[in-house]
Amino acid sequence: MRLRVEFTTEPFDLEEPPPHAVAARDLVESAELDAVDVGPFGNSAEGGAEVVLDAVDELLRRSLASGATRISLQVSVVGNAQDAPEEPGKGGGA
């Protein structure tokens, strides 16, 4: 299964990215995610279910530890196992 996560962190600062936004951006850019899109008012990334779920867990922890007071996120299924390559360590079967 492939997932897409879209998220924002608050509070906003239009002058420069606050530490919580930088932490979130650094995390999604360094994770093994596809289609990463980072912007001033929203961010998104796609990947295998386990990779996305692990990244979301770490995103929440790092952003809150860096001063986020609100994190809005949405996770959507964008494909299934037949659409994506098999994840390492996951058994396929015939």
Side-chain angles (χ1 to χ4, degrees), residues 57-79:
D57 176 61
E58 191 63 24
L59 170 91
L60 294 171
R61 294 174 189 280
R62 287 189 193 183
S63 297
L64 291 168
S66 298
T69 57
R70 179 181 179 135
I71 303 166
S72 301
L73 68 91
Q74 176 174 301
V75 177
S76 304
V77 175
V78 293

